[in-house]
Amino acid sequence: MLMKAKKPQKSSPVTTAVFPGSFDPLTNGHVDIIERASEIFKRVIVAVLFNPSKDALFSQGERVELITRQFARYKGRVSVVSFSGLLVDFVHSTDSRVIIRGLRAISDFDYEAQMALINRKLAPQIETFFLTAREEHSYISSTVVKQVALLGGDVSGMVPKVVLDALSKKRLERDRLRAKPLF
Ligand code: PNS
């Protein structure tokens, strides 16, 4: 549970960073960014977007739970919450003024730069920090992981074990539903 914090001033140094995303599902690329951010900031808040219009495989609760389980050993240093509405409003509700985003390739840059510029326009005191993805994660995206996993492909090098198990369960559920006679 986050307390409504006082808007951080531009000059005040911060110890908390917010890492927002859809995380449908969490990938090894996300895990790496969260781990690296937690070595720089005392606390990382993973903010899971609630977006009812997006066709998500995992519910918001499932996504929060999977990330929480993955980072259980980080205790208070990594916390996982869900948010809806504007990201900058969420960041204002914390004691942070730093947004972390990962960059995998040049092709990510246009979208990420646009988001960072819009967020700065909305809230000039909030800064976006980019961390470059490790080379071995540069081809991984939640979209690709979902597609491959649901078609029975091996995604074990792309997601943590908790997510791998959850993906297998989803696939089994889906196959069971498809196998059911209609009447
Ligand atoms: O993992 P994603 O889907 O690339 O994350 C995108 C996210 C959640 C960071 C972005 O869609 C977002 O901030 N949404 C909240 C609405 C908002 O603030 N929009 C204005 C900035 S684009």
Side-chain angles (χ1 to χ4, degrees):
M1 190 65 175
L2 284 167
M3 302 292 286
K4 183 95 183 159
K6 239 173 53 190
K7 217 185 225 183
Q9 295 306 300
K10 200 160 180 147
S11 57
S12 56
V14 291
T15 53
T16 302
V18 175
F19 182 46
S22 303
F23 304 107
D24 184 41
L26 179 78
T27 66
N28 282 346
H30 295 132
V31 170
D32 177 54
I33 298 286
I34 296 167
E35 286 176 352
R36 283 160 57 201
S38 76
E39 282 163 19
I40 297 163
F41 295 92
K42 275 194 176 158
R43 187 166 164 245
V44 176
I45 301 172
V46 182
V48 182
L49 177 70
F50 175 62
N51 185 356
S53 64
K54 221 172 166 183
D55 198 10
L57 176 64
F58 290 96
S59 71
Q60 197 189 17
E62 288 172 326
R63 286 179 272 150
V64 168
E65 195 199 317
L66 289 172
I67 307 169
T68 305
R69 280 169 56 196
Q70 176 65 24
F71 287 94
R73 69 199 147 90
Y74 280 67
K75 305 258 159 48
R77 290 197 297 126
V78 173
S79 49
V80 189
V81 296
S82 53
F83 80 102
S84 55
L86 283 178
L87 174 60
V88 290
D89 287 343
F90 171 76
V91 177
H92 278 149
S93 75
T94 71
D95 61 352
S96 179
R97 57 182 187 86
V98 171
I99 295 168
I100 301 272
R101 292 288 289 171
L103 279 181
R104 286 164 304 188
I106 308 277
S107 51
D108 281 345
F109 186 76
D110 278 354
Y111 170 63
E112 293 296 336
Q114 186 189 26
M115 245 187 352
L117 290 170
I118 291 174
N119 285 333
R120 176 179 291 152
K121 186 85 185 155
L122 294 169
Q125 68 278 30
I126 293 176
E127 291 286 355
T128 301
F129 282 33
F130 293 112
L131 291 182
T132 43
R134 285 187 201 284
E135 227 170 74
E136 64 265 35
H137 298 145
S138 58
Y139 66 96
I140 303 174
S141 74
S142 297
T143 308
V144 165
V145 160
K146 273 186 288 197
Q147 198 179 78
V148 173
L150 292 179
L151 292 171
D154 180 12
V155 292
S156 53
M158 304 180 209
V159 293
K161 173 88 169 60
V162 277
V163 174
L164 195 63
D165 294 346
L167 280 166
S168 314
K169 256 195 213 157
K170 284 274 177 209
R171 181 158 182 255
L172 284 175
E173 269 167 31
R174 209 196 49 168
D175 290 351
R176 217 176 294 134
L177 280 174
R178 282 197 177 158
K180 254 192 189 162
L182 288 176
F183 47 84

